[in-house]
């Protein structure tokens, strides 16, 4: 029968329990207590008689409302994750359409630039032909001879071709 004087912290360490559990055990077993010189409580313990086995901790009973709220929150989170995945898939589809249309717009812009250059060249040719036709009509290049009449006819024919070309371009 070996009695030891231990503080609550030492008793807790020896029994592998918390300090508060050691204090409650000393109160429950009505172990003799005293104060040390530095003011700490000391407990007289005979370990051969104590025979203490710590009980496993009992968990708190789950609050049914909190549990159902947790399930609802988990369900909401899963629903949000599914919605995010769905929206990301839609966004990926739109992104592919955007890229395809962007490439198409670039091709059309290049074609438009080329068409504008061809139109400018055609307008320049048409202006030269109109000048030549005007010269031929006024007779500046040809006299009243047969060659001049042929040149006038040729000028009228060229004017008709220019007008037909313009009508076809519109």
């Amino acid at each position: 029968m070996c009695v030891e004087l231990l503080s609550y912290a030492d008793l807790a360490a020896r029994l592998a329990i918390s300090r508060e559990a050691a204090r409650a055990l000393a109160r429950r077993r009505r172990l003799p207590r005293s104060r040390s010189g530095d003011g700490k409580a000391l407990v007289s313990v005979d370990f051969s008689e104590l025979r203490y086995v710590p009980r496993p901790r009992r968990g708190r009973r789950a609050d049914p409302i909190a549990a159902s709220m947790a399930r609802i929150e988990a369900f909401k989170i899963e629903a949000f994750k599914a919605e995010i995945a769905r929206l990301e898939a839609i966004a990926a589809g739109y992104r592919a359409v955007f890229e395809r249309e962007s490439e198409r717009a670039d091709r059309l812009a290049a074609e438009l630039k080329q068409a504008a250059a061809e139109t400018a060249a055609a307008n320049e040719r048409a202006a030269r032909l109109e000048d030549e036709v005007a010269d031929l009509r006024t007779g500046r290049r040809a006299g009243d001879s047969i060659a001049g009449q042929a040149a006038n006819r040729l000028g009228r024919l060229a004017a008709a071709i220019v007008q037909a070309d313009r009508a076809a371009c519109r």
Side-chain angles (χ1 to χ4, degrees):
M1 176 161 154
C2 180
V3 176
E4 294 182 43
L5 284 173
L6 300 172
S7 67
Y8 290 131
D10 295 334
L11 180 61
R14 191 95 172 256
L15 297 175
I17 57 176
S18 69
R19 186 179 172 281
E20 290 300 315
R23 188 169 171 258
L25 177 68
R27 230 190 272 152
R28 239 185 356 260
R29 299 280 176 101
R30 295 185 182 160
L31 298 175
R33 290 175 282 186
S34 61
R35 292 241 180 232
S36 68
D38 58 355
K40 288 185 178 180
L42 298 176
V43 181
S44 300
V45 181
D46 183 5
F47 284 102
S48 62
E49 291 181 10
L50 186 61
R51 294 187 188 128
Y52 176 75
V53 178
R55 293 183 183 168
R57 291 186 178 186
R58 292 188 300 182
R60 288 186 174 177
R61 288 189 177 176
D63 183 14
I65 294 174
S68 63
M69 291 301 289
R71 284 193 302 272
I72 290 171
E73 291 298 320
F75 176 75
K76 284 182 182 178
I77 290 171
E78 291 303 317
F80 285 141
K81 286 181 181 177
E83 183 67 12
I84 288 170
R86 186 183 70 81
L87 292 174
E88 284 175 345
I90 290 172
Y94 287 149
R95 181 68 182 174
V97 169
F98 169 77
E99 289 174 359
R100 186 175 61 243
E101 292 300 318
S102 177
E103 290 171 3
R104 184 172 165 247
D106 291 343
R107 281 194 315 272
L108 289 174
E111 288 176 13
L112 182 63
K113 189 174 181 180
Q114 183 181 0
E118 289 173 0
T119 302
N123 286 339
E124 187 178 317
R125 283 192 309 256
R128 274 195 314 240
L129 282 175
E130 284 177 357
D131 288 344
E132 288 180 20
V133 167
D135 288 345
L136 288 174
R137 280 189 179 160
T138 59
R140 280 187 254 169
R141 290 192 180 171
D144 289 333
S145 66
I146 294 177
Q149 290 174 359
N152 283 339
R153 257 192 204 163
L154 183 62
R156 284 192 290 272
L157 182 61
I161 291 173
V162 168
Q163 288 176 353
D165 186 44
R166 280 194 175 166
C169 286
R170 291 181 189 167

